[in-house]
Amino acid sequence: GAVVSQHPSRVICKSGTSVKIECRSLDFQATTMFWYRQFPKQSLMLMATSNEGSKATYEQGVEKDKFLINHASLTLSTLTVTSAHPEDSSFYICSASTGRDTEAFFGQGTRLTVV
Amino acid sequence: GEDVEQSLFLSVREGDSSVINCTYTDSSSTYLYWYKQEPGAGLQLLTYIFSNMDMKQDQRLTVLLNKKDKHLSLRIADTQTGDSAIYFCAESFTGGGNKLTFGTGTQLKVEL
């Protein structure tokens, strides 16, 4: 299957700082990328959908000013957690899709810890 | 909104079959998926089924879909210790472009 690389896999940051997470499709062009969040022992919740070259669509309850998503190319989407606080600590996972396949391909996830 | 429910925990002996169940409320799904997540890792797609199918078999995995009851199951034959993980069902919808709604997850523990 296609490969999606997410970086970093783990990050620890101080409260009040910003953190950028990258999601790259390595061997295909992803017209759409999805960002999910997973709290410990819980399911994955969709945060936003991003299409290359356009603004991301955020799910209800997700603060767009706090979770900045950029999808500037067909192989890269970034999620920036701005002014991070301990309650933002979570596992963030991206997935990428060409829109034509039956599946979206997932990155390895990023464990964010805000101290 | 859509709700996708799974039982939280399942324990089986090595060599037995495991059956993980999933119920959903939205009947407009196009594909239904099963993913495996090992501790601290991302998601691994195990198998998927199109919503107009009743069954799909892939080696040790058998997926059964009952659209009338909105019930999906994953059967793992000859369960091994390496199958211990959390299993998520998920559904996608027409026009959703591979956006997935995930179930609550079932932790499978395989004992010797």
Side-chain angles (χ1 to χ4, degrees):
Chain A
V3 178
V4 175
S5 176
Q6 198 172 328
H7 178 80
S9 57
R10 290 180 178 273
V11 58
I12 300 173
C13 71
K14 290 186 177 181
S15 188
T17 62
S18 295
V19 173
K20 182 186 284 188
I21 302 169
E22 293 187 347
C23 180
R24 291 181 186 272
S25 57
L26 297 186
D27 51 3
F28 67 102
Q29 294 186 323
T31 53
T32 307
M33 289 188 174
F34 305 91
W35 287 95
Y36 295 84
R37 181 175 181 177
Q38 184 181 30
F39 289 104
K41 300 188 187 301
Q42 293 189 27
S43 188
L44 288 83
M45 301 301 294
L46 181 67
M47 299 174 67
T49 303
S50 74
N51 292 295
E52 185 264 338
S54 60
K55 288 185 179 180
T57 303
Y58 290 81
E59 295 298 303
Q60 192 173 8
V62 177
E63 299 175 59
K64 57 183 67 176
D65 293 332
K66 180 163 188 65
F67 298 100
L68 300 179
I69 291 172
N70 184 284
H71 192 165
S73 79
L74 284 171
T75 58
L76 174 65
S77 176
T78 60
L79 167 68
T80 302
V81 183
T82 62
S83 186
H85 290 284
E87 57 266 31
D88 299 324
S89 298
S90 191
F91 193 58
Y92 294 87
I93 307 179
C94 70
S95 71
S97 167
T98 64
R100 298 186 299 273
D101 300 313
T102 55
E103 66 173 299
F105 303 96
F106 281 83
Q108 313 95 309
T110 297
R111 172 77 58 195
L112 170 63
T113 304
V114 185
V115 297
Chain B
E2 313 87 10
D3 289 322
V4 185
E5 299 286 336
Q6 297 177 240
S7 52
L8 285 178
F9 191 77
L10 175 65
S11 179
V12 300
R13 286 183 181 271
E14 188 178 39
D16 289 349
S17 294
S18 307
V19 179
I20 302 171
N21 295 300
C22 172
T23 58
Y24 56 98
T25 57
D26 195 319
S27 58
S28 62
S29 54
T30 50
Y31 289 95
L32 294 122
Y33 303 82
W34 282 104
Y35 284 88
K36 177 183 180 182
Q37 185 180 36
E38 299 188 60
L43 295 176
Q44 175 193 354
L45 176 65
L46 293 176
T47 187
Y48 64 90
I49 189 169
F50 190 48
S51 58
N52 68 354
M53 295 171 63
D54 298 322
M55 186 184 89
K56 181 178 180 180
Q57 186 155 3
D58 184 1
Q59 299 182 338
R60 292 193 297 128
L61 305 177
T62 303
V63 179
L64 295 178
L65 174 60
N66 182 328
K67 280 202 79 172
K68 177 176 170 288
D69 294 338
K70 299 188 181 68
H71 183 264
L72 179 74
S73 68
L74 173 69
R75 179 176 179 270
I76 306 172
D78 187 25
T79 313
Q80 302 296 307
T81 54
D83 295 325
S84 293
I86 299 176
Y87 291 79
F88 291 97
C89 62
E91 53 179 344
S92 64
F93 304 90
T94 304
N98 303 118
K99 179 173 74 171
L100 299 178
T101 299
F102 282 87
T104 45
T106 299
Q107 179 158 6
L108 173 64
K109 182 178 178 182
V110 182
E111 298 175 326
L112 295 172

